Amino acid sequence: LTLRLRGIFFAIATVAVIFIMETLMVNWRYVGGATGLQLLRPPVPEPFDSYTRMLFVVMALMAVVAVSVARYVQVSWIGRGLRAIRDSEEAAECSGVPTLRLKLFACVVSGALMGAAGAPMPMYLSFIEPASTFNLSYTIGALGGAIIGGMSHWLGPIVGAILLGSLQQIVTVTVSGEVNVLVVGVLLVLFVVAAPEGILGLFRKRTLARRK
């Protein structure tokens, strides 16, 4: 249903779904409700000697898969269709672009990748509960990395995630972990106002200016 919405209304509806799912999980005793669930770690397979190293390798492989998918989407007809939807959904529909299918594809793929990225966390902590699982800071952090790095190229979210993650760790160690959301919010406002195309967009503009 939310896929039929456009612009800011689609974003608001997507965030609303997060709160609906959190409320559902909090009141569902089968999955532990508000108290959460204790998880038992599976045995560490060979050749890993610790659970942490195994999760590191798994997450590194998932990162490679996610980047590969992003690059394929950008250079394929799917990416061209999504860019057409971004510029003007009405014009894309008139040109024969299957807008609803592409939006559904984008939501499914991005949701699957985000779910896969979050799957190792409860196994690492041996515990899962709704308040941390549906924490809005994860969504803001994911969006922040893409906006800061630049959403016009598959390399942008990688650059943004590295810079934002490093800055958050520095702030956590030197100041406080509670300031992380504030840092992300300030950076998002600055980049949306001053550099809407992100770091890669700034780099591209400077490169073109030097050539001229």
Side-chain angles (χ1 to χ4, degrees):
L1 181 60
T2 58
L3 293 175
R4 298 190 179 276
L5 301 176
R6 300 179 180 181
I8 188 63
F9 302 104
F10 174 75
I12 294 174
T14 304
V15 174
V17 170
I18 298 176
F19 291 105
I20 293 173
M21 293 300 298
E22 181 180 2
T23 304
L24 178 63
M25 294 298 110
V26 167
N27 294 279
W28 192 5
R29 292 186 177 181
Y30 179 76
V31 295
T35 58
L37 287 175
Q38 289 290 132
L39 302 176
L40 296 177
R41 289 181 175 180
V44 180
E46 296 290 341
F48 304 103
D49 56 356
S50 68
Y51 201 78
T52 304
R53 292 185 179 180
M54 184 193 72
L55 287 181
F56 174 79
V57 173
V58 170
M59 295 184 71
L61 291 176
M62 286 194 298
V64 172
V65 171
V67 172
S68 301
V69 171
R71 186 181 184 281
Y72 170 77
V73 169
Q74 179 181 343
V75 300
S76 66
W77 67 271
I78 299 174
R80 292 191 293 271
L82 291 174
R83 288 191 292 272
I85 295 174
R86 177 198 62 191
D87 295 336
S88 175
E89 188 167 346
E90 291 81 2
E93 288 182 352
C94 294
S95 301
V97 177
T99 56
L100 183 59
R101 291 183 180 180
L102 287 180
K103 289 166 68 175
L104 179 61
F105 172 83
C107 287
V108 170
V109 172
S110 59
L113 292 176
M114 287 292 290
M121 185 186 73
M123 302 306 299
Y124 174 72
L125 300 176
S126 300
F127 179 75
I128 185 172
E129 49 94 18
S132 61
T133 304
F134 293 95
N135 196 330
L136 197 59
S137 62
Y138 295 133
T139 304
I140 297 175
L143 291 175
I147 293 174
I148 292 172
M151 295 183 289
S152 60
H153 195 275
W154 61 269
L155 191 60
I158 300 176
V159 175
I162 293 175
L163 294 178
L164 183 60
S166 301
L167 181 60
Q168 285 181 311
Q169 291 299 318
I170 294 174
V171 171
T172 300
V173 174
T174 58
V175 185
S176 171
E178 301 297 330
V179 188
N180 278 338
V181 179
L182 176 62
V183 171
V184 176
V186 171
L187 288 176
L188 284 179
V189 172
L190 290 176
F191 273 89
V192 168
V193 174
E197 295 183 0
I199 295 175
L200 292 185
L202 290 175
F203 180 77
R204 188 181 299 110
K205 288 181 179 179
R206 289 188 177 182
T207 303
L208 293 176
R210 289 178 180 177
R211 290 179 179 178
K212 292 180 180 180

